Amino acid sequence: APLPPNEAARLADLRSFGILDTPYDPRFDRLARLAARVFGTSGAAITLLDADRLWFKAHVGVDVRELPRENGFCAWTILSDELCVAEDMQADERFADNPLVTGPPRIRFYAGEPLTLANGTCVGTLCLMDVRPRDLDAARLAMLHDLAALVSGELLRAA
């Protein structure tokens, strides 16, 4: 994914929280678990995008704490203030060649809602992943938006 036009300011805002590389936190863990349960997906994560990596503040169904940014789906999500959805990642040109799609864990579905601060800066995502293609209706997408707002609130309280 290309870098957002406000990348320097975005990184400064993210780093001002002092949350990168902190221990797991039950508040965020609960929200990631809730997202996976509500949507019935095999994975969910609260992801913060640093300069060269995606760092998971909380995750369910993902066995790593961070990924190189170039392999991360969430790098596309932060380019807009809107939800990023790939119902079948194998059919989506942004993701079809991604090693997480072509090889293990063979992710097929992704939905990421930006975690946007009051100043409009996006520091990360609340995202859902699954190993099978999925389709979310408007009501479910609205729920993901509401859950992301809860995560953003917790980020502000954690700072």
Side-chain angles (χ1 to χ4, degrees):
L3 294 176
N6 66 339
E7 180 70 355
R10 193 190 70 72
L11 289 172
D13 284 346
L14 171 64
R15 292 176 181 154
S16 73
F17 282 116
I19 199 167
L20 290 171
D21 300 311
T22 58
Y24 290 113
D25 182 320
R27 295 173 297 171
F28 295 102
D29 294 341
R30 276 191 296 273
L31 289 166
R33 283 192 311 270
L34 180 63
R37 286 182 191 143
V38 164
F39 293 95
T41 56
S42 59
I46 296 169
T47 307
L48 302 174
L49 279 82
D50 202 0
D52 58 356
R53 66 185 173 141
L54 278 70
W55 182 75
F56 300 118
K57 178 60 182 165
H59 57 84
V60 174
V62 177
D63 293 332
V64 297
R65 187 75 195 255
E66 65 182 54
L67 290 170
R69 187 167 168 169
E70 64 266 12
N71 292 343
F73 314 134
C74 299
W76 288 95
T77 304
I78 67 166
L79 296 176
S80 167
D81 60 353
E82 297 180 12
L83 178 72
C84 176
V85 178
E87 293 177 348
D88 184 350
M89 297 186 83
Q90 289 179 348
D92 191 310
E93 66 183 32
R94 296 171 296 177
F95 306 114
D97 293 331
N98 187 295
L100 300 172
V101 174
T102 60
R106 300 196 188 287
I107 305 291
R108 293 288 302 275
F109 168 80
Y110 170 82
E113 180 71 34
L115 299 177
T116 305
L117 305 177
N119 66 4
T121 301
C122 178
V123 295
T125 70
L126 170 61
C127 63
L128 306 170
M129 299 150 283
D130 208 338
V131 294
R132 63 182 179 87
R134 311 258 327 210
D135 181 17
L136 298 179
D137 62 23
R140 309 271 290 161
L141 296 175
M143 279 195 298
L144 182 58
H145 179 77
D146 289 344
L147 280 173
L150 292 173
V151 173
S152 293
E154 287 301 323
L155 282 173
L156 292 173
R157 281 188 276 290

